[in-house]
Amino acid sequence: MKFTVASLIDQLPAAEQLSISKLEKALGISAKADKELLRIALSGLVKAGVLAEDDQGISRVEDEGLIEARLRCSSKGFCFALRDDGGEDIYIRDNQLNHAWNGDRVLVRITREGGRRRSPEGGVQCILERNTTSLLAHVEQQNERLVAVPLDDRLLTSIELPSGDSQYLQPAEESVVEVRVDRYPVGQLAPQGHVARSLAVNAGPAADLDLLLTKHGLREQPAAPKATLKTPEAKDRDDLTALPTLALELWNGSEAPILPAVSLESSDAGHRLWVHAPAIAERIGFGSPLDLFLREQGESLCLGSSWVPLLPPALTKAAAFKAGSSSAALSVLLEISPEGELQHYRFCRSTIQVDAAVDAKGLQALAERKPKARTTPAALKALKDQLPLLEQLIALAQTLSQRRLSAGSIDLALAMPAIDGLGDLAIPEPDESRQGWLVQLDPAQSPAGLLRELLLPAHRALGRHCAALELPAIYAQNPAPDAEALNDVAKAALALEIPLELAADGNATAQELATAFAASDRSRVLQQQLRDPLKPVTLSAEPGPNTLAAEPVAVAPWSCPALHYADLWNQHLLVLLLSEGKDRPSVRHKTRVDIAGDSSHGVIDWPLLTPSQLAPLEEGRSSTLLHRLNGRSRFVTELQSDALAMAQARQAEPLVGQTLTGVISGVQSYGFFVEVPPSQVEGLVHVSSLKDDWYEYRSRQNRLVGRKNRRSYMLGDAVEVIIQKVDVLRHQIDLAVVLPEGYEEYVPDHRDRRGGSDPEGDDRDDGDNTGDDEG
């Protein structure tokens, strides 16, 4: 089938009917077999109450009770529907999944309202889009059935295989297979698939990369359509080639994305910061085959020492900034007060010339250089003439960072560990974090930290501009965390005797917690607890606050179009405004308004763009596009987490049998997690392995306490552990505590029981501890 239910529904106007012939054309369906599949799909959706059909055609059914969501399941069978509208997660019992799998986009109907400490419950009414088309699995013979058992134990099913795939029956530790799904479960029929190929488990870094790519469906990448790139028009471009300009180099991997450049002018009123983005949107047509292809890809993907780029090589080469050469750019002038406040801004199409590039070695050499040194370190010789500019940029970035943090943005000292092979994965992207918090970086020593602080006000400027002019931008929202969730973290910290100063209303703020945790001797594990309530950045058609960027009105990312398609979308909009926008009501009016800057706000009472110019943008900025882009952002997060977990597990393999000192990073009823240096890999000490006593779980105190000897294992405690087993494919590390010499094994009597514990379970997969919310 060449379409999903989500794409089918998205083609239907909100309040109109569409003929089947027009629907077939919109979906690109021409073959007879595909038309028959469409009819089957329409019939099913009509019966499900999602669509309505009459003689005039097909239309949507407006049903406020149906909620769009994405499924997140745990290995224990607990499933939640994460709502796209930001509402409370909905608990889905296994008999209400209706064959939906982890990660699927679904329509859910609530069957039971939530209450205090109880999630609402619901059932899946329709699967909009499948998330899993292929997977890694072991082949097993189960009685008369040959099945593939997924490695991902959040997929709560097995897949039937043809008998010919019995050749792949091998010990699990030797190989895994890639299985393509041929049929999803329907009614009483089980899912079916076939083995595409076998993969080696322990064959070196190249094989591990192959496992990672296969798991995430990246081994066979679609080729970009052939396109003739346009040359940016020279007319009406601001010549900024005389402006001293620096490029910041973050990454070393092959096909790494191109990034913006920056310039700085000082003034009596503060700073005049220029941010110059590569002019990608001017080189490809909006809605062209290449543009539509990039919408589907959504993101550049970092694999460590290499990238899966968003842009095709020819486009990257044409738009890249080269030192000493003139380049087309989209620029913004940001007027910033000495205190770091964004006061005014103006956008333009420009021509710039980069004078030099700054990398991490250069910043490190500058930081270590003595103030009155007469010699220039080798790493700074190429930057000798630009050192005053670089120092001014660093000082401005530090001011911007301080202002951002004082306004409620959160920095956490949770950078990726220094592991060989992580490559560019260890370097954060230079724009808003996907996770709702930013890695703590020093702008004086990190190009990523320096560029990040300079880009945030540029994205705030376009967000404010598009919101004021009511333009169809894609906005990045980041709501403040829930007070109740933050208070739970605060209670856990108070139980550990962490001094906290709460707000006047008794509630803790994320900023207060971050400050208190940074000063604690348990800072890392406490900051890990603080991550959970922080909400991720999401893309939206509506302007809204972005706590991460310290912006109360709107943020519209645009300066990294080689990283994210959302930035490219906003570049298309910006180029259209600068080249086609009406700066006066009619030609009879002599006074023009500068529509490129904030001086135009509140002045314009005429349409800036014609309906024909706006229509493609308004139609293209659909819920399907936003779901797609938000989904790709989550996909990147999962890919990076998997790559890190695999690298950490490989680092832990040679340590099996060794005793190491780690730190308790999480406590649950079934045991506790320990973070072990140097790779910061996290392993589980199962409660059943604690033979010296019967341990009770005290959730409010984040600790396990022995009933007899009163020994406790508490969040942040140092503990000696032995690495017993490493499962690289599932990223699971089994640990055992080094018990004191001469201990006596505790023998429980019939009165002993573990309150709320799960002595046989192992809920380590994704942290979904859902028992309290499960009805």
Side-chain angles (χ1 to χ4, degrees):
M1 189 180 296
K2 296 183 179 180
F3 57 89
T4 65
V5 173
S7 62
L8 187 160
I9 294 176
D10 196 53
Q11 298 300 327
L12 300 175
E16 301 178 19
Q17 292 172 316
L18 191 69
S19 68
I20 293 179
S21 60
K22 290 183 178 179
L23 180 58
E24 290 171 347
K25 184 177 180 180
L27 292 171
I29 292 176
S30 57
K32 182 179 179 180
D34 291 335
K35 290 181 179 181
E36 291 176 353
L37 289 174
L38 175 61
R39 287 300 316 179
I40 294 172
L42 291 175
S43 177
L45 291 171
V46 169
K47 290 180 180 178
V50 177
L51 301 180
E53 182 179 10
D54 58 22
D55 294 339
Q56 303 300 315
I58 299 292
S59 61
R60 302 185 194 182
V61 173
E62 297 298 329
D63 187 345
E64 295 181 357
L66 288 177
I67 299 167
E68 289 196 27
R70 178 177 58 88
L71 275 186
R72 184 188 67 188
C73 300
S74 76
S75 62
K76 295 302 173 186
F78 296 118
C79 291
F80 281 83
L82 280 58
R83 298 172 59 157
D84 290 333
D85 60 8
E88 189 175 3
D89 297 346
I90 304 166
Y91 176 63
I92 311 292
R93 295 181 182 273
D94 56 358
N95 63 343
Q96 294 291 326
L97 284 171
N98 291 327
H99 299 311
W101 291 354
N102 179 62
D104 288 349
R105 274 187 61 203
V106 294
L107 288 177
V108 174
R109 190 181 298 279
I110 293 179
T111 57
R112 179 180 176 182
E113 296 296 333
R116 185 177 181 273
R117 298 197 60 83
R118 180 188 294 276
S119 299
E121 294 185 24
V124 174
Q125 300 297 299
C126 176
I127 299 172
L128 295 174
E129 190 170 23
R130 288 288 188 177
N131 180 65
T132 302
T133 57
S134 66
L135 48 89
L136 296 179
H138 293 303
V139 178
E140 295 183 5
Q141 187 75 46
Q142 297 181 354
N143 297 324
E144 301 299 321
R145 299 168 64 235
L146 186 69
V147 299
V149 179
L151 262 64
D152 187 348
D153 48 15
R154 296 172 300 175
L155 296 175
L156 311 173
T157 186
S158 58
I159 299 173
E160 291 187 350
L161 299 175
S163 58
D165 283 345
S166 58
Q167 61 178 308
Y168 297 103
L169 281 168
Q170 295 184 33
E173 63 272 10
E174 294 182 6
S175 72
V176 296
V177 296
E178 176 188 1
V179 174
R180 303 281 177 86
V181 180
D182 298 323
R183 184 188 71 192
Y184 293 98
V186 178
Q188 301 301 316
L189 301 177
Q192 291 181 345
H194 69 277
V195 175
R197 64 192 183 111
S198 179
L199 295 90
V201 176
N202 298 303
D208 283 353
L209 179 59
D210 191 18
L211 285 167
L212 185 69
L213 294 176
T214 304
K215 178 179 179 180
H216 293 278
L218 297 173
R219 194 172 65 86
E220 298 176 357
Q221 284 294 297
K226 293 182 179 179
T228 301
L229 302 180
K230 298 189 293 185
T231 301
E233 292 186 12
K235 183 181 178 182
D236 297 330
R237 300 197 87 87
D238 290 4
D239 186 355
L240 305 178
T241 53
L243 198 64
T245 301
L246 291 177
L248 294 166
E249 295 182 346
L250 276 59
W251 300 304
N252 299 309
S254 61
E255 299 188 273
I258 53 178
L259 292 169
V262 292
S263 309
L264 186 65
E265 300 173 292
S266 296
S267 68
D268 296 336
H271 304 278
R272 289 164 54 88
L273 171 66
W274 289 88
V275 174
H276 314 287
I280 304 296
E282 291 189 83
R283 300 176 188 274
I284 62 174
F286 180 79
S288 65
L290 178 56
D291 186 53
L292 296 176
F293 171 82
L294 297 178
R295 290 185 199 180
E296 286 295 309
Q297 302 310 303
E299 300 277 344
S300 282
L301 308 175
C302 181
L303 303 176
S305 60
S306 64
W307 289 72
V308 178
L310 172 63
L311 305 181
L315 181 54
T316 298
K317 183 178 180 180
F321 297 148
K322 306 175 186 66
S325 300
S326 298
S327 304
L330 292 173
S331 301
V332 62
L333 170 60
L334 306 165
E335 296 185 18
I336 299 173
S337 72
E339 296 76 28
E341 180 183 358
L342 176 61
Q343 296 179 317
H344 301 289
Y345 52 83
R346 184 181 186 278
F347 295 90
C348 67
R349 294 183 299 134
S350 65
T351 303
I352 69 165
Q353 179 172 304
V354 171
D355 296 293
V358 182
D359 59 12
K361 291 181 180 179
L363 282 182
Q364 186 68 29
L366 181 62
E368 295 173 354
R369 185 189 187 194
K370 295 181 180 179
K372 296 184 179 180
R374 296 183 179 181
T375 59
T376 303
L380 292 176
K381 286 186 178 179
L383 297 168
K384 185 176 181 180
D385 296 336
Q386 285 76 36
L387 287 182
L389 170 61
L390 180 56
E391 290 172 336
Q392 293 169 15
L393 285 168
I394 291 171
L396 173 60
Q398 291 170 334
T399 300
L400 292 170
S401 175
Q402 292 170 2
R403 184 174 184 85
R404 173 176 60 79
L405 292 172
S406 66
S409 183
I410 299 294
D411 283 6
L412 299 177
L414 297 176
M416 283 195 178
I419 298 177
D420 292 340
L422 281 183
D424 290 347
L425 277 172
I427 304 171
E429 295 173 357
D431 52 1
E432 297 95 326
S433 169
R434 307 172 196 274
Q435 299 301 312
W437 55 276
L438 296 172
V439 176
Q440 191 176 84
L441 298 173
D442 183 357
Q445 299 190 28
S446 166
L450 175 56
L451 186 57
R452 179 178 73 193
E453 302 300 340
L454 303 178
L455 293 188
L456 283 173
H459 293 180
R460 294 167 61 199
L462 186 61
R464 292 182 186 181
H465 200 51
C466 291
L469 301 182
E470 299 182 348
L471 296 174
I474 292 179
Y475 298 96
Q477 293 191 11
N478 177 232
D482 294 329
E484 184 177 350
L486 286 177
N487 283 341
D488 287 343
V489 177
K491 291 174 184 177
L494 290 171
L496 298 174
E497 300 182 350
I498 305 298
L500 294 177
E501 294 184 8
L502 303 182
D505 59 2
N507 290 325
T509 68
Q511 188 62 46
E512 290 167 342
L513 293 177
T515 301
F517 293 170
S520 167
D521 60 354
R522 302 171 188 257
S523 60
R524 180 173 174 83
V525 295
L526 288 170
Q527 289 186 67
Q528 289 172 333
Q529 301 296 311
L530 181 58
R531 286 185 308 191
D532 294 338
L534 301 179
K535 298 182 178 180
V537 173
T538 56
L539 299 175
S540 172
E542 301 297 329
N546 188 310
T547 304
L548 189 70
E551 171 55 44
V553 179
V555 167
W558 63 278
S559 64
C560 298
L563 263 176
H564 318 292
Y565 180 80
D567 293 53
L568 178 53
W569 174 281
N570 287 332
Q571 274 205 6
H572 279 303
L573 178 61
L574 180 57
V575 169
L576 183 63
L577 175 67
L578 296 177
S579 58
E580 303 292 340
K582 292 177 63 177
D583 57 5
R584 50 183 172 166
S586 69
V587 294
R588 294 191 300 272
H589 289 75
K590 296 183 178 180
T591 304
R592 299 174 182 266
V593 174
D594 185 9
I595 61 175
D598 62 306
S599 62
S600 62
H601 298 179
V603 177
I604 297 171
D605 57 1
W606 62 88
L608 283 171
L609 298 166
T610 66
S612 62
Q613 290 169 333
L614 282 173
L617 285 157
E618 291 173 338
E619 293 173 4
R621 193 185 55 165
S622 63
S623 59
T624 296
L625 173 64
L626 295 172
H627 288 316
R628 172 71 179 173
L629 296 180
N630 282 321
R632 291 299 284 178
S633 180
R634 291 190 296 268
F635 174 83
V636 172
T637 300
E638 293 170 0
L639 176 68
Q640 292 175 346
S641 296
D642 266 0
L644 172 61
M646 180 172 284
Q648 289 176 312
R650 288 299 187 197
Q651 291 276 311
E653 276 186 313
L655 304 178
V656 171
Q658 295 188 24
T659 299
L660 300 167
T661 300
V663 175
I664 297 177
S665 56
V667 182
Q668 297 295 336
S669 59
Y670 49 83
F672 54 88
F673 294 90
V674 178
E675 196 175 73
V676 181
S679 67
Q680 297 172 348
V681 66
E682 194 175 58
L684 175 68
V685 176
H686 202 277
V687 70
S688 61
S689 70
L690 302 175
K691 304 293 187 181
D692 63 325
D693 206 341
W694 191 269
Y695 284 86
E696 296 176 341
Y697 176 48
R698 299 183 181 178
S699 59
R700 293 185 180 181
Q701 300 173 353
N702 266 296
R703 69 177 71 189
L704 289 172
V705 180
R707 178 176 296 180
K708 177 182 177 182
N709 59 29
R710 313 309 298 170
R711 182 178 293 112
S712 69
Y713 295 101
M714 185 170 59
L715 189 71
D717 281 353
V719 60
E720 283 194 330
V721 293
I722 300 172
I723 297 181
Q724 292 186 318
K725 181 182 177 182
V726 176
D727 187 333
V728 174
L729 295 176
R730 291 187 171 88
H731 314 320
Q732 293 179 356
I733 316 296
D734 292 338
L735 305 175
V737 168
V738 177
L739 296 172
E741 293 184 9
Y743 80 92
E744 295 183 4
E745 184 169 339
Y746 182 77
V747 180
D749 60 32
H750 69 279
R751 294 170 297 175
D752 285 329
R753 64 182 181 89
R754 302 207 185 231
S757 72
D758 179 17
E760 300 299 328
D762 183 352
D763 268 338
R764 75 177 95 194
D765 59 300
D766 55 3
D768 290 339
N769 301 305
T770 56
D772 290 341
D773 288 334
E774 191 265 319

